[in-house]
Amino acid sequence: RDVDGWRVIEAKSGKRDKPEYIDDLAYTVAVLQAAGLRVAAAELALVNAEWRVDNAAEALVRLEVSERVLARAAEFGPLLEHVYATVSADAAPPEVLMAACKGCEFRGDRCFAEGPAHPVFELPNIRATRVDEWIAEGITRIPQVPESEKLSPIQRLHRRAVISGGLVADQDALARLGEVREPAGYLDFETLSLALP
């Protein structure tokens, strides 16, 4: 709490300011304002790339973003009544398939329980914008993705497996395994990315 209102500080695991961080913080600010709190300032607390165990740098750095967040919150404000009505309604809103459904905890349980089977967002590493373009064109399932579509080799393999309804093997890659002579050794590299360096 500041003298002239509340300072909202949101911690993020990133090192740089991103538009989605501003939107996330702005939505929180809009909700607080709708609840009657005066928000005077907004900050992001981000991971400090200069922090190390053996130096005096702070692990998090605070970035002042009040002007952008308050402007964005003003845009979100008029939408809150609709959001509240939707969330507090007795029945769920109509299902609308989109890229965001991929990670939704309700998909398959309370939403889209009847499908579609193999939605287009199941393709590995597919961009959300491309998924939403396909859906707008009426392409909702992987078998509907045209053969001519530019896909990565892994995406093509995945598409082939879905269409065939079974396992698909890369016979050329398997044939090369026949060239390996015993004893054989390999290195298995694992990576782990920590929030703090």
Side-chain angles (χ1 to χ4, degrees):
R1 186 193 293 250
D2 283 347
V3 176
D4 54 349
W6 289 90
R7 174 175 298 273
V8 182
I9 305 166
E10 180 147 352
K12 295 291 187 186
S13 62
K15 292 182 250 180
R16 287 179 295 283
D17 174 12
K18 296 179 183 177
E20 57 264 33
Y21 292 173
I22 298 298
D23 281 353
D24 193 23
L25 182 51
Y27 187 80
T28 301
V29 166
V31 170
L32 292 171
Q33 290 172 328
L37 291 179
R38 173 163 164 51
V39 176
E43 294 180 0
L44 289 170
L46 303 172
V47 174
N48 183 359
E50 304 302 315
W51 181 88
R52 300 292 182 274
V53 173
D54 57 354
N55 71 15
E58 294 290 324
L60 297 175
V61 291
R62 284 170 45 177
L63 181 64
E64 166 63 43
V65 291
S66 299
E67 188 175 324
R68 287 187 292 157
V69 166
L70 291 171
R72 191 74 169 123
E75 295 174 30
F76 285 140
L79 306 175
L80 292 180
E81 188 174 327
H82 172 71
V83 170
Y84 177 75
T86 302
V87 170
S88 62
D90 292 334
E95 300 165 340
V96 178
L97 191 67
M98 61 183 76
C101 295
K102 179 177 183 173
C104 181
E105 64 184 278
F106 299 119
R107 184 173 61 91
D109 177 23
R110 299 181 215 169
C111 192
F112 293 109
E114 303 299 318
H118 302 292
V120 287
F121 50 68
E122 281 183 0
L123 283 170
N125 301 315
I126 194 72
R127 291 184 348 267
T129 52
R130 188 63 190 124
V131 167
D132 286 334
E133 289 168 359
W134 280 336
I135 292 171
E137 295 168 16
I139 300 169
T140 59
R141 300 173 55 247
I142 291 173
Q144 295 172 314
V145 175
E147 181 73 36
S148 60
E149 191 69 41
K150 185 176 177 182
L151 300 174
S152 72
I154 296 293
Q155 291 167 341
R156 288 199 173 287
L157 193 61
H158 189 100
R159 181 181 174 277
R160 240 177 63 213
V162 167
I163 290 171
S164 74
L167 295 174
V168 175
D170 183 339
Q171 297 301 327
D172 292 337
L174 289 174
R176 288 194 298 272
L177 287 176
E179 300 167 11
V180 176
R181 298 292 169 247
E182 298 289 342
Y186 68 95
L187 290 174
D188 183 16
F189 289 97
E190 301 292 342
T191 61
L192 174 66
S193 180
L194 301 173
L196 298 177

